[in-house]
Amino acid sequence: MRPLPQLTPANEWFWTSGADGRLRIQGCEDCKTLVHPPVPICPACRSRNWTPVEVSGRATVVGFTVNHQRWLSSFEPPYVIANVALAEDPNVRLTTNIVDCAPEDVAIGQEVVVRFEQHDDVWLPLFAPTGEIDPTDRVAAPTRAVPRPPLTTDRFEHRSVLSGIGRSAIGRRLMVDPLSLTVDACLAAVADAGLTLDDIDGLSTYPGAAAMGMSEGGVTAVEEALRIHPTWINGGGDLPGPGGSVIAAMLAVAAGLCRHVLCFRTVWESTYAALGLESTGGGGRVSGVNGEWRLPFGAASAANWIGMNANQYLHRYGASREMLGWIALTARANASRNPVAIYRDPMTMDDYLNARPITSPFGLFDCDVPCDASIAVVVSDASVAGDLPKPAVRIEAVGTQILERISWEQDTITHEPQVLGQSAHLWTRTDLRPADVDLALVYDGFTFNAISWLEGLGFCGLGEAEDWLDGGRRIALDGDLPINPHGGQLSEGRTHGYGFIYEAVAQLRHEAGDRQVANAGTAVVTSGGGTPSGVLLLQRD
């Protein structure tokens, strides 16, 4: 049985309205705006007067992915997950399945019509092709967002530095307790900064005490293990990406709450899976944005959500999979110089293109590598920069402003969501420009993420990445803009953003060994996307 939404007073009307074969969407009674997913207030006019509105059930496919990976035991691959835009308002979209046709026959621009499928007390809106192609592009062309200008010329970023970095062992299925990994990384970072645990007066982490192999237990677990008594703590997922825990630490230091904040991030997904702790998705009721509106359709992974956007990008700009391949090949070539990277063997474009499909357009090498690891970073008051045993890394600017809906399907679908806004915000807080950047550490949970960041940050125009990459030459270690010299998450391992910060500090200290970017003085570091995300611009002090 597939996962079904947990019915509540707020959503029952939607999931049961298909009993009569009619699709209904929340509609504002005052301004007539259609709203999805349902919320208690109209986002257009702020009215609380709404009612379920019957719509035609016709829509257009604006994004899709053919899924080949068995994420859930209740879904037999291959199957099509799609983002469809309603005929009445193309800004209202549903994640769904395309049925009644072969997966290879689904395409962007297809007109589809709803077909309900009953499961217990839930009527799932699935869609089938009508045989027609919509002559109108239902997706607005992306534009560069215009952030709010800074309130003052003062920059909190300049009141702190990155003083220390540390990491544990990194690998697949290490079968090590995650708190042990965290302690190793934290002790190494504190020592690297020339400090002792008694100097630490703040703790910050992402995403806190999370399950699914994504955490060691958060601040509580680390405080209990190390018996640090901080004046300030932070933990949780509602931050500007994983790197948001570092940005939060910078704010605490700038406010005078702390002098040295120990930031840490631990993953142990490989061991978590090997121990049989992960769910196989055998049915049951689900809730929350990612659960209720996606899991009933088998959209269980960010690979599916981002894959739909990647296909919209390829369709819109006429780009090829080779564009994504150059991101993967560059990561692997760089990782060959990184002794701790998980994947270091050479890879060719043929290897990339012929890899096992995961969810179109992504194959195995488009996806980052689950691993066990912990990484820690110390954020210190800038006044100590001259006393550190190693060169301090200064934070020139951050980008955090949210200018898009925090949604995987309702707003930006030409790029990864939560990239364009934060990227634009970064450049309002500094006089530096993309041409001043020596290397880019761009989040590559999937190859398309990196493409989105490169375009969002302005290294090339929107939709221009394939030509700009120049067959991978521009982003190589000796290119105009080296990216992810350590191999990124595609080859070194998925450490959810912190690996990029670690590598940026190593590069700016000129401690990266065989993978050192010559004369590296300025680095941009991105983390997340869709979480939402954050960006840091770092400089050698």
Side-chain angles (χ1 to χ4, degrees), residues 316-445:
R316 172 172 293 273
Y317 298 114
S320 67
R321 278 200 69 211
E322 281 81 355
M323 174 189 71
L324 303 178
W326 289 119
I327 300 296
L329 266 63
T330 299
R332 184 62 63 85
N334 291 345
S336 69
R337 302 168 181 257
N338 180 0
V340 306
I342 292 173
Y343 288 156
R344 286 175 282 170
D345 293 338
M347 181 168 65
T348 67
M349 185 62 78
D350 284 342
D351 295 331
Y352 165 80
L353 293 172
N354 294 324
R356 174 169 63 88
I358 302 298
T359 187
S360 67
F362 300 148
L364 181 63
F365 299 130
D366 288 290
C367 308
D368 58 12
V369 189
C371 68
D372 299 341
S374 181
I375 296 177
V377 179
V378 179
V379 176
S380 296
D381 188 278
S383 64
V384 308
D387 301 324
L388 298 173
K390 296 182 178 180
V393 171
R394 188 167 63 83
I395 303 98
E396 167 65 15
V398 302
T400 58
Q401 188 179 344
I402 296 171
L403 290 167
E404 310 152 70
R405 289 175 67 177
I406 304 177
S407 169
W408 290 99
E409 73 275 309
Q410 297 300 330
D411 197 343
T412 300
I413 60 170
T414 59
H415 293 74
E416 185 188 12
Q418 298 300 311
V419 164
L420 302 180
Q422 286 82 351
S423 295
H425 186 223
L426 177 75
W427 301 117
T428 69
R429 299 187 62 80
T430 177
D431 292 330
L432 298 180
R433 288 296 173 260
D436 299 310
V437 175
D438 297 316
L439 71 154
L441 288 303
V442 286
Y443 198 89
D444 60 350

Side-chain angles (χ1 to χ4, degrees), residues 3 65-77 79 81 278-282 295 297-305 356-360 362-364 367-368 370 446 494:
T65 184
V66 180
N67 180 70
H68 296 270
Q69 177 77 11
R70 193 169 197 125
W71 309 103
L72 302 171
S73 59
S74 48
F75 280 82
E76 183 70 34
Y79 57 92
I81 305 163
E278 60 183 354
S279 170
T280 58
L295 281 177
F297 308 101
S301 168
N304 302 136
W305 315 337
R356 174 169 63 88
I358 302 298
T359 187
S360 67
F362 300 148
L364 181 63
C367 308
D368 58 12
F446 304 95
R494 180 200 297 165

Side-chain angles (χ1 to χ4, degrees), residues 271-322:
T271 291
Y272 186 87
L275 294 174
L277 300 176
E278 60 183 354
S279 170
T280 58
R285 297 288 172 145
V286 294
S287 61
V289 173
N290 289 338
E292 175 179 355
W293 304 106
R294 300 190 185 101
L295 281 177
F297 308 101
S301 168
N304 302 136
W305 315 337
I306 297 174
M308 288 190 280
N309 290 25
N311 275 324
Q312 162 64 222
Y313 179 103
L314 299 182
H315 168 80
R316 172 172 293 273
Y317 298 114
S320 67
R321 278 200 69 211
E322 281 81 355

Side-chain angles (χ1 to χ4, degrees), residues 230 462 483 523:
L462 300 180
I483 70 166

Side-chain angles (χ1 to χ4, degrees), residues 19-66:
D20 61 0
R22 305 293 183 181
L23 180 64
R24 292 173 177 85
I25 297 293
Q26 177 179 329
C28 176
E29 293 189 312
D30 292 333
C31 72
K32 310 307 179 185
T33 297
L34 296 179
V35 179
H36 188 77
V39 290
I41 188 171
C42 174
C45 73
R46 308 303 181 190
S47 170
R48 290 181 176 268
N49 299 318
W50 66 271
T51 189
V53 174
E54 184 178 317
V55 294
S56 66
R58 299 180 71 85
T60 299
V61 175
V62 293
F64 77 95
T65 184
V66 180

Side-chain angles (χ1 to χ4, degrees), residues 226-288:
L226 298 179
R227 304 299 168 92
I228 296 170
H229 300 295
T231 58
W232 173 87
I233 62 170
N234 167 74
D238 284 336
L239 290 169
S245 54
V246 174
I247 296 173
M250 292 160 50
L251 285 164
V253 169
L257 280 168
C258 310
R259 189 169 175 82
H260 302 287
V261 181
L262 178 59
C263 308
F264 53 93
R265 176 79 180 98
T266 302
V267 290
W268 58 296
E269 292 174 277
S270 293
T271 291
Y272 186 87
L275 294 174
L277 300 176
E278 60 183 354
S279 170
T280 58
R285 297 288 172 145
V286 294
S287 61

Side-chain angles (χ1 to χ4, degrees), residues 1-5 15 72-76 79-81 95-99 115 117-120 122-126 280-286 294-299:
M1 177 176 179
R2 70 170 74 200
L4 296 176
W15 293 112
L72 302 171
S73 59
S74 48
F75 280 82
E76 183 70 34
Y79 57 92
V80 179
I81 305 163
T95 293
T96 184
N97 298 126
I98 303 299
V99 295
R115 195 204 79 179
E117 187 172 283
Q118 183 181 1
H119 295 264
D120 289 348
V122 171
W123 279 261
L124 297 176
L126 311 181
T280 58
R285 297 288 172 145
V286 294
R294 300 190 185 101
L295 281 177
F297 308 101

